[in-house]
């Protein structure tokens, strides 16, 4: 596991974790940071608008000691598989997820789900429905879920939230040209690349090849066609060959072509 420290503002790069965004001095998994950058770059290269929804999936307090990594992983696989045939996810594109363990909450998962912003805009409604779906359908009453998107409903709780949990940019559709918002979205997603004590001791808990960090692919066949053919999105925030191995590899093979 390659670890990196976040860059400070005077020295900081747009595609790296900014320590001022987080309330703790986290280390980050470098490979996961690169993967997140690549996924977000691909999203905004293929879709003109993205609606991100941030959710946390866990289990109720009385079931914490009974539920294992295997249980949580099984539910997450079911959640993703069912998305293919559930109308709630008709305009769903892809995801980033991170499974963690904590003494009080047990096994839990942080996710960012991405939807086509040309088709859906009501992030609060989607967040509510996704949380209910996890609690009532996937886990059949065992699970619990929370989305920071729903914090917009309560001004008091919104003001009291730490900046890294506030994730205010997740309360709106993001256009491909909204550079500052895309930057904040990257920081929100970098939270899923942080390295916890559990990550450092993962071998004590899990099998050698068990995965805790996962992402989906970006289905280009479902991308919107709002931008006329021939017009390329080439701005700095969505194309980053230095930090995105996948994009650089595609460029070298001639699959994509862009200018800095």
């Amino acid at each position: 596991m390659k670890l990196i420290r976040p860059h400070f503002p005077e020295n900081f790069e747009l595609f790296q974790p900014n320590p001022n965004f987080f309330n703790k001095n986290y280390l980050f998994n470098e490979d996961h940071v690169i993967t997140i950058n690549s996924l977000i770059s691909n999203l905004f290269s293929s879709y003109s608008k993205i609606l991100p929804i941030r959710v946390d999936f866990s289990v109720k307090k009385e079931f914490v000691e009974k539920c294992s990594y295997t249980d949580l992983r099984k539910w997450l696989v079911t959640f993703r598989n069912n998305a293919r045939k559930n109308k709630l996810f008709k305009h769903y594109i892809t995801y980033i997820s991170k499974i963690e363990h904590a003494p009080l909450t047990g096994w839990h998962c942080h996710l960012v789900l991405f939807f086509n912003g040309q088709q859906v805009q009501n992030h609060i409604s989607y967040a509510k429905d996704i949380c209910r779906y996890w609690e009532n359908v996937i886990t059949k009453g065992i699970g619990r879920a929370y989305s920071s998107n729903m914090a917009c409903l309560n001004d008091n709780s919104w003001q009291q939230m730490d900046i890294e949990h506030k994730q205010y940019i997740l309360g709106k559709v993001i256009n491909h040209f909204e550079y500052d918002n895309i930057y904040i979205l990257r920081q929100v997603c970098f939270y899923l690349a942080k390295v916890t004590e559990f990550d450092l001791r993962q071998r004590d808990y899990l099998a050698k090849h068990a995965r805790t960090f996962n992402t989906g692919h970006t289905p280009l066949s479902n991308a919107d066609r709002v931008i006329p053919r021939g017009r390329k999105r080439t701005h700095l925030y969505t194309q980053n060959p230095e930090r995105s191995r996948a994009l650089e590899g595609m460029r070298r093979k001639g699959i994509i072509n862009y200018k800095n």
Side-chain angles (χ1 to χ4, degrees):
M1 180 191 300
K2 298 179 181 178
L3 303 181
I4 57 174
R5 292 190 179 277
H7 294 262
F8 286 89
E10 58 268 25
N11 239 346
F12 110 129
E13 300 177 39
L14 296 174
F15 300 88
Q16 290 292 295
N18 181 348
N20 291 337
F21 193 86
F22 303 96
N23 63 7
K24 293 182 181 179
N25 186 25
Y26 294 122
L27 291 175
F28 294 84
N29 184 308
E30 182 180 15
D31 290 336
H32 296 171
V33 168
I34 290 171
T35 298
I36 288 170
N37 277 323
S38 177
L39 183 142
I40 293 176
S41 294
N42 285 334
L43 277 172
F44 285 100
S45 294
S46 305
Y47 294 83
S48 59
K49 296 180 180 180
I50 296 295
L51 176 65
I53 293 181
R54 174 74 166 81
V55 291
D56 295 321
F57 289 160
S58 59
V59 297
K60 294 178 180 176
K61 192 172 182 179
E62 58 267 33
F63 297 106
V64 165
E65 295 183 2
K66 300 177 183 178
C67 292
S68 65
Y69 164 87
T70 303
D71 294 322
L72 182 66
R73 181 80 179 178
K74 178 184 68 175
W75 287 327
L76 289 171
V77 170
T78 301
F79 176 84
R80 293 198 298 266
N81 289 342
N82 287 4
R84 301 170 187 167
K85 54 188 176 182
N86 188 316
K87 65 180 181 179
L88 174 62
F89 297 93
K90 180 179 179 180
H91 302 294
Y92 161 79
I93 304 171
T94 191
Y95 73 96
I96 303 171
S97 70
K98 173 68 183 302
I99 297 175
E100 296 180 355
H101 183 275
L104 294 179
T105 56
W107 292 99
H108 59 279
C109 184
H110 304 294
L111 297 96
V112 181
L113 305 172
F114 300 94
F115 290 80
N116 187 343
Q118 284 286 351
Q119 305 296 330
V120 294
Q121 290 84 35
N122 192 339
H123 69 103
I124 294 177
S125 176
Y126 267 74
K128 281 183 178 179
D129 290 343
I130 290 168
C131 288
R132 290 195 200 103
Y133 186 63
W134 171 262
E135 294 172 347
N136 301 328
V137 179
I138 300 298
T139 66
K140 302 187 186 307
I142 292 176
R144 64 176 181 175
Y146 171 76
S147 173
S148 56
N149 291 73
M150 294 191 295
C152 298
L153 294 173
N154 188 325
D155 290 337
N156 291 330
S157 64
W158 184 251
Q159 295 297 328
Q160 294 171 6
M161 293 173 73
D162 294 327
I163 187 169
E164 71 184 60
H165 295 115
K166 205 169 197 179
Q167 299 172 354
Y168 46 90
I169 199 57
L170 297 189
K172 62 175 290 186
V173 170
I174 304 176
N175 285 283
H176 70 276
F177 54 80
E178 295 178 330
Y179 309 147
D180 291 342
N181 290 347
I182 294 173
Y183 161 71
I184 296 173
L185 175 62
R186 289 183 190 272
Q187 297 301 321
V188 168
C189 292
F190 288 153
Y191 181 77
L192 278 63
K194 75 183 190 300
V195 177
T196 65
E197 182 180 352
F198 162 76
D199 294 310
L200 298 175
R201 299 179 56 197
Q202 183 172 320
R203 292 182 181 178
D204 297 339
Y205 294 92
L206 302 175
K208 184 177 180 180
H209 299 293
R211 298 180 62 183
T212 57
F213 179 85
N214 292 274
T215 65
H217 70 288
T218 304
L220 300 182
S221 60
N222 294 329
D224 63 67
R225 303 300 177 192
V226 174
I227 301 298
R229 270 188 197 176
R231 185 183 300 176
K232 300 181 184 301
R233 301 176 190 141
T234 58
H235 53 71
L236 175 64
Y237 284 75
T238 62
Q239 301 294 353
N240 179 25
E242 292 76 22
R243 296 295 178 188
S244 174
R245 293 174 182 170
L247 283 176
E248 180 64 0
M250 292 170 69
R251 185 189 68 80
R252 289 178 179 177
K253 293 177 182 179
I255 299 173
I256 59 174
N257 182 24
Y258 57 85
K259 299 177 182 177
N260 290 327

